[in-house]
């Protein structure tokens, strides 16, 4: 559920989106594309949440900008993005950020 | 819903969390703390999503590390964090990242 990322620095792709009413094939596409994303060299993990009828946020982590660029150029990814713009997404933002520090908390009980 | 952030560079605080079963007062606390967070000088906006019974992701944007540090030192925020660790959160990760590039898509129809 949490991405098991290493010590910083590394990179985060923050993808925030709202969906259209047309979710046909969306979940089937995600089942195909997420394992492919994980095969990208330099991929470190992904965290994802979508509120019912609200915003979705997916953060994918990579060890370098080259890894992000490699995934950007992946043809299956480009096909999925085109379908996303044509059908599933009302709007989205993609922000690429360099993670500089990280902290975590875990309940002991 | 989307944070209306300016052109990069700016900073993102990526907060991912799982909750305990004890959500008493959680939403009331959020109603208090979110407007206070927005008063922090340098605050640029926030995006938040929580899947039912799953991961929550909140990304807050700031114009500088000083702004992030100012909010970290806010006493109301420190009180809310202590309550969060005592009651609401099973686990969380906080990553601080510098946003270097941003793109967006918006459906035309």
């Amino acid at each position: 559920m949490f991405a098991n990322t290493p010590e910083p620095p590394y990179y985060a792709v923050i993808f925030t989106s709202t969906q259209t009413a047309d979710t046909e094939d969306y979940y089937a596409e995600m089942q195909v594309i997420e394992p492919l994303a994980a095969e990208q060299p330099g991929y470190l993990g992904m965290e994802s949440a979508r509120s019912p009828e609200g915003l979705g946020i997916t953060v994918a982590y990579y060890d370098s900008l080259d890894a992000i660029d490699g995934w950007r150029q992946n043809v299956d990814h480009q096909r999925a993005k085109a379908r996303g713009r044509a059908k599933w997404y009302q709007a989205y933002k993609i922000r690429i950020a360099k993670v500089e520090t990280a902290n975590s908390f875990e309940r002991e009980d």
Side-chain angles (χ1 to χ4, degrees), chain A:
Chain A
M1 185 167 285
F2 289 100
N4 188 21
T5 44
E7 286 295 301
Y10 51 88
Y11 286 85
V13 178
I14 306 166
F15 178 79
T16 52
S17 65
T18 52
Q19 292 182 309
T20 65
D22 181 5
T23 58
E24 186 199 357
D25 296 336
Y26 174 75
Y27 294 99
E29 178 71 46
M30 290 305 107
Q31 299 254 317
V32 172
I33 205 73
E34 287 183 7
L36 291 174
E39 287 176 12
Q40 170 64 43
Y43 172 89
L44 299 174
M46 182 181 289
E47 294 164 341
S48 197
R50 181 172 294 281
S51 298
E53 302 177 54
L55 197 70
I57 305 178
T58 296
V59 189
Y61 301 98
Y62 296 89
D63 68 3
S64 66
L65 291 174
D66 281 350
I68 294 169
D69 207 51
W71 177 237
R72 185 191 289 129
Q73 293 179 34
N74 178 287
V75 292
D76 293 304
H77 184 206
Q78 290 183 344
R79 176 186 49 75
K81 283 176 76 169
R83 295 188 74 194
R85 284 190 294 265
K87 285 178 63 120
W88 300 313
Y89 293 120
Q90 186 63 37
Y92 63 70
K93 285 183 187 270
I94 301 174
R95 297 176 176 95
I96 298 177
K98 184 177 186 178
V99 178
E100 298 181 346
T101 61
N103 289 286
S104 61
F105 163 78
E106 191 165 356
R107 181 170 298 274
E108 286 174 9
D109 60 26

